[in-house]
Amino acid sequence: MGYAERLTVPWWLWLPGLGGAALLATEIWLGSSGVRAWLPFVVLLPLAAAGLWWLGRIRVRVAGDELLVDDARLPVRFVADVVPLDAEGRREVLGVGADPLAFVVQRPWIGGAVQVVLDDPADPTPYWVVSSRRPDELATALLAARDAARGVTVEP
């Protein structure tokens, strides 16, 4: 069972991002003429759009026997447990008691996440926390991939 998701920036965050860039370009433009009148718009608006696109570039996938988060790879044989988290659970896991060695890919505009508890004696990383819009589906896909990699059959 595979899983794929891209952690894109929602449309409603594009409005203030592009609006802020337009406001800054307008402030630079005020009182200017010639090239300084249009150059801020030509430079700042595409830069803001590129920045917002870049923030939403992260892909989360369960493919074969690996969890892929952007360019990080985790073989599912090292997964001990997967805990789907809602916004409150994510806040608690990433709060004051968070382990500084944990691997975290967190996007604040996404409420859910999964905590992937690891069982790898050679790796000091205790767990991964990965944002997800569908944490239950991601957890199910990870556990199914782990069980398939270990040769465990799960009865429905």
Side-chain angles (χ1 to χ4, degrees):
M1 171 187 251
Y3 177 87
E5 170 180 22
R6 185 169 174 196
L7 305 180
T8 57
V9 176
W11 68 268
W12 53 267
L13 277 179
W14 282 76
L15 296 176
L18 293 175
L23 183 64
L24 182 59
T26 303
E27 288 183 17
I28 296 170
W29 163 74
L30 285 174
S32 300
S33 61
V35 172
R36 287 188 299 172
W38 55 267
L39 188 61
F41 294 97
V42 171
V43 172
L44 293 176
L45 289 175
L47 276 177
L52 288 166
W53 175 85
W54 183 81
L55 286 172
R57 79 192 185 290
I58 301 293
R59 293 182 188 274
V60 177
R61 292 188 306 144
V62 176
D65 62 347
E66 287 186 320
L67 168 63
L68 299 107
V69 180
D70 197 22
D71 60 348
R73 296 171 173 265
L74 174 66
V76 293
R77 69 179 179 269
F78 296 121
V79 173
D81 195 16
V82 182
V83 181
L85 304 170
D86 59 3
E88 177 81 18
R90 183 187 61 151
R91 200 172 14 260
E92 188 164 324
V93 166
L94 296 176
V96 176
D99 193 312
L101 296 177
F103 176 80
V104 178
V105 175
Q106 191 261 137
R107 294 295 183 247
W109 55 85
I110 297 175
V114 293
Q115 180 182 23
V116 182
V117 181
L118 303 182
D119 182 22
D120 183 6
D123 187 357
T125 306
Y127 57 86
W128 284 24
V129 178
V130 180
S131 288
S132 175
R133 286 188 175 90
R134 302 182 316 266
D136 292 324
E137 291 178 35
L138 177 55
T140 302
L142 262 172
L143 292 172
R146 179 201 63 186
D147 292 343
R150 291 180 178 172
V152 176
T153 56
V154 179
E155 295 181 22

